[in-house]
Amino acid sequence: MARKNYSEEFRRQAVDLFESTPGATLKGIAADLGVERATLKRWVDLYGTGRKTAADGKTTSTSTGSSAQADPVRAESPAVKIARLEAELAALRAEKTKLTTEREILRSAAKYFGRGDELVSRFQFVADHRATFEVKRLCELVEVKRSSYYAWVKAAPPREARAAADAQLADRIRKVHTDDNTCGAPRITAELNDGVPAGQRVNHKRVARVMRDNGIAGYRRRRKVRTTIPEPADHKVPDLLNRNFTAEAPNQRYVGDITYLPLADGNNLYLATVIDCYSRRLAGWAVAGHMRTELVTDALKAAKATRGSLTGAVFHSDHGSVYTSNDYARLCTELGVTQSMGAVGTSADNSLAESFNATLKREILQDQNSWPDEATCRRQVFRWLVRYNTRRRHSWCHYQSPNTYETSTAATLPSAA
């Protein structure tokens, strides 16, 4: 159920994301946005500025007029430049050797006295020093039985095989975690098992253990986040969901909310969402620098464009003034949408939308408190929202993306859905 009709704003944001992301490739950005590479290339040719952000953060230009400006480094003679580069290379090699040596020394020291299995550390101590001292004496000093030590030595081959297998699994986990550092053990397990035959799948408990042993963890925001206080309602609208955020098919029940996106200069952008309760798919959204009614009407119109029609659907929200406005009620009537609202001042009545907003900020901002500027905020939020639908694995969707979940379950749904 991939989106086929893209607005001009969507295309321009996609091109801006490609040009502003350091080291980004057409293939990578296209995969994140769920579009074909050729389609993104056509958008870049049509809307692009001709400037691209390189992997080092510098902006390069495809034009040749400005690239011929004088550069102080070019004033060096070839011999001086070669000598400088050789000196820098030698310094880097020396630093690498120093760091490698320091790492090996620290590992050796921690092998016996670190926070590991104390019994195994004593066995290893005996094994490492048996060429210098007799085993009997070593076992007496570290208080282990010789029979236990020899049993440990005998079990070395299978133990090493397990360690090697765990090391290979750790490398696979790191690749997934590097692509998205917010992933925990359940989502990484789903990624590793995607398309793998049943007999070759990895258990989630083993993935969690290997992640724990290798210091790999999904991101968790540790500071408390203040929740939004809803405004009193202008008119009464019943709660049609009663905290039951499920649906039998797509395009039946939606929830939505507004959340602020803090900027470093003290201002905010605002995001309005329309989320399908069936698949958790973000059917529509809008970002603006205000909280007027147009923000939520634009989001609902975007959902209508995605679904084709919203006739018969229920949209649930809090009692914010924009949702209780006459203009918003009039749009819902035009689109055939029935409004639903939770109790005033109770965030749990719209917890699905609240959880979505918290996840977005946690996974994008992580340890930062705000976005550096409006352009960066719009780019990063746009990329996350599209990736959320097309690639991010959701526990509700059995660790598939919302789009994939809707596609995979389409055959089991009634034809009227």
Side-chain angles (χ1 to χ4, degrees):
M1 301 177 68
R3 183 173 182 174
K4 296 182 179 179
N5 297 322
Y6 301 93
S7 65
E8 181 178 352
E9 180 183 4
F10 184 96
R11 299 176 186 179
R12 291 185 180 275
Q13 287 181 314
V15 172
D16 179 69
L17 181 64
F18 166 71
E19 293 183 339
S20 63
T21 302
T25 62
L26 287 169
K27 181 178 180 181
I29 296 298
D32 280 349
L33 300 182
V35 301
E36 296 294 331
R37 179 187 180 280
T39 301
L40 180 59
K41 176 64 168 60
R42 185 167 63 252
W43 294 349
V44 171
D45 294 339
L46 182 61
Y47 300 110
T49 63
R51 303 185 66 81
K52 183 72 180 69
T53 302
D56 58 2
K58 296 182 179 179
T59 302
T60 59
S61 175
T62 56
S63 62
T64 58
S66 61
S67 61
Q69 296 179 356
D71 191 336
V73 177
R74 296 183 182 179
E76 295 179 337
S77 65
V80 173
K81 184 175 182 179
I82 291 173
R84 177 175 58 81
L85 294 177
E86 288 179 344
E88 292 177 356
L89 180 59
L92 290 174
R93 286 175 174 171
E95 183 66 18
K96 178 183 177 182
T97 301
K98 177 183 176 182
L99 293 175
T100 301
T101 302
E102 291 178 351
R103 182 183 62 184
E104 295 301 324
I105 291 174
L106 291 173
R107 283 182 175 177
S108 297
K111 186 180 298 183
Y112 307 111
F113 310 111
R115 292 183 179 178
D117 188 321
E118 183 181 351
L119 183 60
V120 172
S121 297
R122 285 183 281 173
F123 286 153
Q124 190 65 56
F125 176 83
V126 174
D128 291 346
H129 295 84
R130 62 183 178 179
T132 306
F133 306 97
E134 62 177 353
V135 173
K136 178 181 178 180
R137 180 59 178 161
L138 289 171
C139 290
E140 290 175 351
L141 290 175
V142 297
E143 299 180 347
V144 296
K145 294 181 179 180
R146 276 187 293 170
S147 59
S148 299
Y149 164 72
Y150 285 121
W152 179 81
V153 172
K154 186 177 181 180
R159 185 169 59 249
E160 291 173 357
R162 288 194 298 270
D166 284 350
Q168 293 178 355
L169 178 59
D171 290 339
R172 295 170 59 196
I173 291 173
R174 287 191 185 94
K175 291 180 181 179
V176 178
H177 190 262
T178 299
D179 184 58
D180 184 357
N181 71 341
T182 65
C183 289
R187 287 165 59 193
I188 289 181
T189 303
E191 184 72 24
L192 295 176
N193 290 335
D194 189 19
V196 177
Q200 301 177 16
R201 295 183 178 180
V202 62
N203 184 273
H204 70 280
K205 293 182 180 179
R206 184 184 175 201
V207 171
R209 175 180 58 80
V210 172
M211 290 179 64
R212 183 170 58 252
D213 293 344
N214 288 270
I216 305 172
Y219 177 78
R220 296 179 180 178
R221 194 177 184 91
R222 288 174 169 77
R223 68 182 184 87
K224 294 182 179 180
V225 180
R226 183 180 179 183
T227 58
T228 303
I229 301 174
E231 297 183 10
D234 292 338
H235 60 276
K236 296 293 183 180
V237 174
D239 186 347
L240 302 179
L241 299 191
N242 294 315
R243 303 187 184 180
N244 179 15
F245 303 109
T246 63
E248 296 181 354
N251 202 26
Q252 292 183 348
R253 287 181 166 189
Y254 293 93
V255 298
D257 194 14
I258 297 176
T259 187
Y260 73 97
L261 307 173
L263 305 179
D265 61 4
N267 294 318
N268 296 316
L269 291 178
Y270 299 93
L271 168 68
T273 54
V274 180
I275 306 168
D276 196 313
C277 291
Y278 173 76
S279 62
R280 288 358 187 206
R281 180 182 181 182
L282 185 64
W285 77 83
V287 177
H290 60 79
M291 287 184 62
R292 297 190 294 271
T293 305
E294 300 96 281
L295 178 63
V296 293
T297 57
D298 287 347
L300 194 61
K301 290 176 182 177
K304 191 266 182 184
T306 298
R307 292 304 195 187
S309 173
L310 296 178
T311 302
V314 173
F315 178 79
H316 182 82
S317 68
D318 59 23
H319 278 88
S321 59
V322 291
Y323 291 116
T324 59
S325 66
N326 292 329
D327 289 342
Y328 191 73
R330 188 178 303 111
L331 176 62
C332 288
T333 301
E334 292 175 1
L335 299 181
V337 174
T338 302
Q339 283 188 271
S340 169
M341 293 184 184
V344 176
T346 305
S347 60
D349 286 351
N350 200 22
S351 59
L352 173 55
E354 297 275 356
S355 175
F356 176 90
N357 293 337
T359 299
L360 178 146
K361 292 181 182 179
R362 181 180 68 250
E363 294 193 357
I364 300 180
L365 286 178
Q366 300 194 6
D367 291 326
Q368 303 300 316
N369 293 323
S370 62
W371 279 271
D373 52 64
E374 179 177 340
T376 300
C377 178
R378 287 182 177 273
R379 291 166 183 162
Q380 292 183 354
V381 170
F382 170 73
R383 181 173 189 173
W384 190 92
L385 294 176
V386 178
R387 184 186 177 92
Y388 169 88
N389 276 341
T390 60
R391 296 188 63 181
R392 185 185 181 277
R393 297 181 182 274
H394 201 300
S395 58
W396 175 263
C397 303
H398 308 298
Y399 290 102
Q400 303 175 78
S401 70
N403 283 6
T404 302
Y405 180 72
E406 285 193 2
T407 302
S408 64
T409 57
T412 64
L413 296 174
S415 58

